Structure formats: structure tokens, C-alpha cells
Amino acid sequence: APHTETTNPQATAPEWAKKAVIYEVNIRQYTPEGTFNAFAQHLPRLKEMGVDILWLMPIHPIGEKNRKGTLGSYYSIKDYTATNPNYGTIDDFKKLVDEAHQLGMKVIIDWVANHSAWDNNWVSEHPEWYKKNEKGEIHAYTYKSGENVEYWTDVVGFDFDNKALWQGMTDAMLFWVKQTDIDGFRCD
């Protein structure tokens, strides 16, 4: 029989995710403190509510160059292998993951794979990983949905035709799995 691709996410999802209750968490606004440690105090209550998986919105530092507003967008990633210092340290994050695991919950983080902040170190270290305009300049990310076009001025788009980017992105993702013991990603 010929091989056919499936688009059913249930077919490839790990068993622990197939019928799980997923709870989205915005660390910055969940508590008055907006930190990993302050949020961790809510884990027992969330477990009692039946939460199986904690999905954390982006936890990375937010870009400053071309920032929107005073706080910036969570989806403007300045560093793929760091935590937003406003939320706490990487050790604070590891502790949060460990406490969630002790309660039997899984932790996934939002992964922003299509674009980064203008001031992400990859822009200067690997400019070939980014989309360019006709003049060869890195430019703001353009999002197209049908006839609608949006210009996201605070982020620059990745060029996935460059296979080296694939490895860079893979390495950054593996960092979180190996260093913090997260269970997976929600890809934006």
C-alpha cells in the first residue's frame, strides 16, 4: 500500500498529550510579581483543577530594538537560550519544571520559530538565516493570511531555505529539553 501522510495531530502526539487538559500560562501577567517563583505557588491548585499540561507563553527575553509599547511582544525573541530576567533565572525555571513534574504535570513552552527580535544575536552572527528584501537587507516580518497582510515591525523573519538555520533552531530547542527537562513545545 502506498504511504500516506496524516495531518491528524492525535496520530503523532505522545500518549500523555492525547486526552490531556492543557492550561496556557502567561507568566508576566499571571501574578502581580510576574515571576516563575510566584506562579509556582499556584501549581497545587492547578493540579486540583485537573490540569495535565502547562503551556507557557514565551519565556525568553523580549527584543528591545523596534519594541512595541513599553513591555514588547512575547513573540519578539531576543535570545533563544535564556529566560526573560523579569520572570527569574533559568534556575528558577528549572525549579518550576521540577515542581510541576513532582505533581504529575508536563511542561511545554511556546516556541517562536518563524521570526526573532531585531536584536537577537543571530541577526549579527548569522544574517544568512534571515529573509532579505530586493536590496539584500533583513526586513520586518510580513504575515499573510489570505488577502490580509500584516507588517510585524518588531520582528525579522527566518529564511528556512538555509539548512544551517535548521541546525541552529534544533540546537536551541535541545538546550531547553536537556537543560530544563521540559516535556515539549507548542510551536507558534
Side-chain angles (χ1 to χ4, degrees), residues 34-53:
T35 65
F36 298 128
N37 291 335
F39 170 69
Q41 296 172 17
H42 295 269
L43 292 176
R45 180 178 57 82
L46 294 172
K47 180 63 180 176
E48 283 181 32
M49 289 173 44
V51 172
D52 300 304
I53 302 171

Side-chain angles (χ1 to χ4, degrees), residues 3 17 25 35 89 124 143:
H3 174 73
V25 180
T35 65
T89 66
S124 60
Y143 174 73

Side-chain angles (χ1 to χ4, degrees), residues 65-68 118 140-141 150-156:
K65 184 177 180 182
N66 298 329
R67 177 178 274 192
K68 292 192 175 193
W118 284 90
Y141 186 75
E150 298 176 19
Y151 299 96
W152 296 353
T153 57
D154 61 334
V155 293
V156 288

Side-chain angles (χ1 to χ4, degrees), residues 27-28 30-44 56 84-97 99:
I27 294 293
R28 179 163 77 188
Y30 197 90
T31 64
E33 300 85 358
T35 65
F36 298 128
N37 291 335
F39 170 69
Q41 296 172 17
H42 295 269
L43 292 176
L56 300 167
N84 185 326
N86 296 326
Y87 303 168
T89 66
I90 196 155
D91 288 332
D92 294 335
F93 180 70
K94 289 177 185 180
K95 182 179 172 207
L96 170 66
V97 172
E99 290 178 21

Side-chain angles (χ1 to χ4, degrees), residues 10-24:
Q10 293 291 321
T12 58
E15 204 58 43
W16 54 262
K18 288 185 178 177
K19 295 184 180 182
V21 173
I22 301 174
Y23 188 87
E24 184 177 5

Side-chain angles (χ1 to χ4, degrees), residues 109 171-185:
I109 62 172
D171 291 345
M173 294 174 85
L174 284 172
F175 169 86
W176 291 98
V177 173
K178 291 177 179 179
Q179 297 298 315
T180 70
D181 200 28
I182 62 166
D183 300 286
F185 302 90

Side-chain angles (χ1 to χ4, degrees), residues 71-135:
L71 298 175
S73 167
Y74 303 103
Y75 296 89
S76 178
I77 307 300
K78 186 174 182 176
D79 185 342
Y80 280 97
T81 57
T83 58
N84 185 326
N86 296 326
Y87 303 168
T89 66
I90 196 155
D91 288 332
D92 294 335
F93 180 70
K94 289 177 185 180
K95 182 179 172 207
L96 170 66
V97 172
D98 184 55
E99 290 178 21
H101 286 166
Q102 287 179 30
L103 291 169
M105 293 186 282
K106 303 288 187 184
V107 178
I108 62 174
I109 62 172
D110 241 328
W111 193 258
V112 182
N114 290 323
H115 47 74
S116 77
W118 284 90
D119 48 356
N120 185 299
N121 60 318
W122 288 356
V123 173
S124 60
E125 293 173 13
H126 303 287
E128 69 279 8
W129 291 2
Y130 290 86
K131 293 182 179 183
K132 313 272 190 325
N133 62 19
E134 306 78 39
K135 296 178 186 176

